Amino acid sequence: MVGAAAPSSCYASPLCTWFVAACMSVSHGGGDSRQAVALKSVGRSRRSRRQLIKCLALSGSGSVQEALVTSFGPCNNSSNALSSLFGSNSVSLNRNQRRLNRAAASSGGGAMAVAMDMQKEAKVDKKPPTEQRRVVVTGMGVETSLGHDPDTFYENLLQGNSGISQIENFDCSVFPTRIAGEIKSFSTEGWVAPKLSKRMDKFMLYLLTAGKKALVDGGVTEEVMAEFDKAKCGVLIGSAMGGMKVFQDAIEAMKISYKKMNPFCVPFATTNMGSAMLALDLGWMGPNYSISTACATSNFCILNSANHIIKGEADVMLCGGSDSVIIPIGLGGFVACRALSQRNNDPTKASRPWDSNRDGFVMGEGAGVLLLEELEHAKKRGATIYAEFLGGSFTCDAYHMTEPRPDGAGVILCIERALADAGISKEQINYINAHATSTPAGDLKEYQALAHCFGQNPEIKVNSTKSMIGHLLGAAGAVEAVATVQAIRTGWVHPNINLESPDNGVDTNLLVGPEKERLEIKAALSNSFGFGGHNSSIIFAPYK
């Protein structure tokens, strides 16, 4: 049946293009030599040879069109390949098919030339290979319990100061956990309009202030901003939890009446609105969205932002993460998960990655934002380059909602892919800012994966920023990326505090000790993992 043959018809088929060309050439006096070339071009496929022989035989006693219809079914039959996929009988002929039909109807042996022209045209349309655009860090902004600018924040880390204390924002006496890395003093003055400050969730306020501080840190004044191509400036700052306080307040208001609800409760609760509001404020029209992959959020945002720059879709990106859930519903939720430390009488000792006496993680809050820029764009405006972003990767454990994969395969794969993306060997990595949250299972599994990948490197040094500021959830990776870049800039890596009794199987030679250490970093890896099995690794290096 003709209809049954339609899926192998000449609709957008390279094979049919050559069949048509061969048949038409013979029909218009191509001779035996052309038949031989046509047969050779089909290759060793018996079915293809039989179709061509049939076509050639028929062309001697009838039209080329008749031969093709007999061999393959009509090209304009409504039951073509695309209609079989999408269920439509109204798919029009594509450009190549129309050209072939016109050629078939004309006199002369030009079909082969038509086919060759199409091949030439396809080659011309291909973009020539270009040198990959390099991505550099030119600005940073933070909001943390240890400081509101990168230098203060990192100096506190180097000194081993803890930002973990008793929760003061609300009465948490009924909870078994009453400690967190809470930001005690925070001001939006000069950064966010007072009217918005009263209505927005803290995660958005942290995001906006850290984002604008990153611009200031990067030397992006109004005059510099005026020279930017706003269509190639983007914002990608994510959040794991979004506006939970706004949402919680809306629920309480709803108990009285919907009329009491904040009219902005829906948009201010969504994770994307922080990036949107910052772009709106700046007038940046490039890539703008958010990613939410639990505690791996920031690394996902940073790597995707770098990729937008590499692909030429942006020249400048503000990227990172922000979260603020030290509120009753946030604390209660993690308590219910049995994930939090209950060392309430000694808050500064509560977060203790790799220590055998750890009893869960400590919640933190804040934001971290990097200003990523295409290298030549940064050099043209005379920006200070802090470090170069080399690459990264994502994987999924595909094992459990909250527990790490026992064999560490997902983490190892993520690290190996990140190294491949960065184009460096594992021997070139000599500093790792680990995810290490102070949970019994997570710390050990990550350590084993790191030992598997880098254990033979005598220069490797590993630390955990969370030992001092707790776990900032979706903001953790960005704040730790700032710490990583600061380590590259200063040549100092911060200590691991509270590591008093290392877990069995943990070689402390791989870990930074209780005091800061001098280290000339060749390349640095920063890990972030999240509920759902989300793994992410990103790599920075000194700019050369």
Side-chain angles (χ1 to χ4, degrees):
M1 292 176 62
V2 171
S8 61
S9 72
C10 63
Y11 194 100
S13 169
L15 179 62
C16 186
T17 299
W18 288 101
F19 280 171
V20 170
C23 292
M24 292 177 66
S25 297
V26 173
S27 176
H28 293 287
D32 293 340
S33 62
R34 292 191 183 182
Q35 290 186 31
V37 171
L39 284 169
K40 184 178 181 181
S41 69
V42 173
R44 298 182 179 181
S45 169
R46 292 182 179 180
R47 180 174 180 275
S48 300
R49 291 172 64 89
R50 286 199 303 270
Q51 295 279 25
L52 183 55
I53 291 167
K54 186 177 182 181
C55 178
L56 293 172
L58 287 166
S59 66
S61 59
S63 68
V64 174
Q65 291 90 332
E66 181 183 349
L68 291 173
V69 168
T70 306
S71 300
F72 304 106
C75 290
N76 63 350
N77 188 285
S78 62
S79 300
N80 55 52
L82 289 184
S83 68
S84 69
L85 287 174
F86 300 106
S88 170
N89 291 328
S90 60
V91 180
S92 60
L93 302 178
N94 67 13
R95 183 176 64 178
N96 291 351
Q97 185 179 336
R98 289 197 301 269
R99 291 180 65 177
L100 284 172
N101 288 348
R102 286 198 300 270
S106 65
S107 59
M112 188 67 76
V114 171
M116 296 300 292
D117 284 345
M118 287 189 293
Q119 278 203 330
K120 183 179 179 181
E121 188 177 282
K123 290 180 181 178
V124 171
D125 287 343
K126 289 181 180 178
K127 292 182 180 179
T130 57
E131 185 176 347
Q132 180 166 305
R133 287 154 57 98
R134 295 170 68 181
V135 180
V136 292
V137 181
T138 56
M140 299 180 289
V142 295
E143 296 293 347
T144 74
S145 60
L146 283 182
H148 304 284
D149 66 86
D151 291 337
T152 302
F153 164 64
Y154 199 63
E155 182 58 31
N156 275 314
L157 290 179
L158 291 178
Q159 296 303 318
N161 296 329
S162 175
I164 297 168
S165 60
Q166 296 288 337
I167 295 172
E168 299 176 1
N169 190 45
F170 64 97
D171 181 7
C172 57
S173 58
V174 298
F175 294 95
T177 293
R178 299 181 290 278
I179 57 175
E182 186 179 53
I183 295 177
K184 303 300 185 185
S185 61
F186 170 69
S187 174
T188 60
E189 187 176 355
W191 303 107
V192 183
K195 191 173 183 179
L196 287 175
S197 291
K198 294 177 181 178
R199 290 178 168 178
M200 284 182 172
D201 191 277
K202 269 190 178 180
F203 101 92
M204 291 181 66
L205 297 177
Y206 292 154
L207 182 157
L208 291 173
T209 54
K212 291 181 179 180
K213 287 178 179 180
L215 289 176
V216 172
D217 184 61
V220 182
T221 62
E222 289 186 10
E223 292 75 19
V224 172
M225 181 89 77
E227 300 297 318
F228 283 5
D229 179 356
K230 300 293 182 65
K232 300 194 78 175
C233 296
V235 183
L236 177 41
I237 305 174
S239 176
M241 311 299 286
M244 287 190 72
K245 180 62 165 61
V246 166
F247 198 73
Q248 179 179 294
D249 291 346
I251 293 172
E252 293 301 316
M254 186 68 176
K255 292 177 181 177
I256 302 171
S257 169
Y258 72 90
K259 295 179 181 179
K260 298 292 184 180
M261 294 173 68
N262 179 350
F264 298 98
C265 66
V266 172
F268 284 174
T270 57
T271 60
N272 70 295
M273 199 53 64
S275 290
M277 292 298 291
L278 183 53
L280 188 154
D281 204 355
L282 301 174
W284 286 13
M285 300 173 67
N288 184 278
Y289 55 102
S290 69
I291 295 173
S292 184
T293 48
C295 304
T297 291
S298 287
N299 276 11
F300 275 69
C301 292
I302 292 168
L303 179 52
N304 276 278
S305 293
N307 286 337
H308 282 303
I309 294 173
I310 291 168
K311 292 168 65 177
E313 297 167 348
D315 292 326
V316 179
M317 292 290 297
L318 283 169
C319 56
S322 179
D323 260 319
S324 178
V325 293
I326 305 177
I327 57 176
I329 193 171
L331 181 63
F334 283 110
V335 165
C337 289
R338 300 180 180 179
L340 299 181
S341 169
Q342 297 182 18
R343 198 182 290 261
N344 299 305
N345 296 328
D346 199 359
T348 62
K349 298 285 188 180
S351 185
R352 42 199 316 114
W354 301 300
D355 188 83
S356 58
N357 294 314
R358 65 191 182 278
D359 67 332
F361 77 83
V362 178
M363 290 175 64
E365 64 177 344
V369 177
L370 299 182
L371 177 62
L372 296 186
E373 201 164 346
E374 193 273 324
L375 175 59
E376 297 305 319
H377 188 277
K379 289 166 65 176
K380 184 177 180 181
R381 70 177 184 87
T384 299
I385 297 173
Y386 295 150
E388 182 170 2
F389 180 86
L390 296 187
S393 183
F394 321 126
T395 61
C396 179
D397 274 352
Y399 170 74
H400 190 272
M401 190 186 302
T402 59
E403 293 296 317
R405 191 180 180 99
D407 59 6
V411 173
I412 292 170
L413 179 63
C414 188
I415 292 170
E416 290 175 345
R417 286 183 175 177
L419 291 168
D421 186 58
I424 63 174
S425 67
K426 61 184 180 182
E427 288 76 22
Q428 290 172 268
I429 298 285
N430 65 338
Y431 169 58
I432 298 171
N433 189 297
H435 180 63
T437 63
S438 188
T439 56
D443 289 9
L444 191 57
K445 294 305 176 186
E446 181 184 14
Y447 171 83
Q448 291 168 349
L450 294 177
H452 173 87
C453 294
F454 305 102
Q456 302 305 311
N457 184 349
E459 297 181 2
I460 201 75
K461 286 296 176 182
V462 183
N463 62 13
S464 171
T465 305
K466 295 181 182 73
S467 65
M468 287 173 272
I469 61 173
H471 192 353
L472 275 62
L473 308 178
V479 169
E480 289 157 16
V482 170
T484 302
V485 173
Q486 288 288 66
I488 291 171
R489 290 181 66 195
T490 64
W492 289 96
V493 292
H494 70 69
N496 287 302
I497 69 169
N498 303 325
L499 183 55
E500 299 165 354
S501 175
D503 213 342
N504 290 333
V506 172
D507 181 0
T508 54
N509 289 324
L510 302 181
L511 306 179
V512 182
E515 301 290 334
K516 66 180 181 181
E517 296 182 18
R518 174 66 74 176
L519 183 65
E520 184 179 348
I521 296 174
K522 300 175 183 176
L525 176 81
S526 182
N527 284 335
S528 283
F529 313 132
F531 281 0
H534 302 296
N535 304 311
S536 62
S537 299
I538 55 177
I539 298 174
F540 298 92
Y543 166 66
K544 297 178 181 179

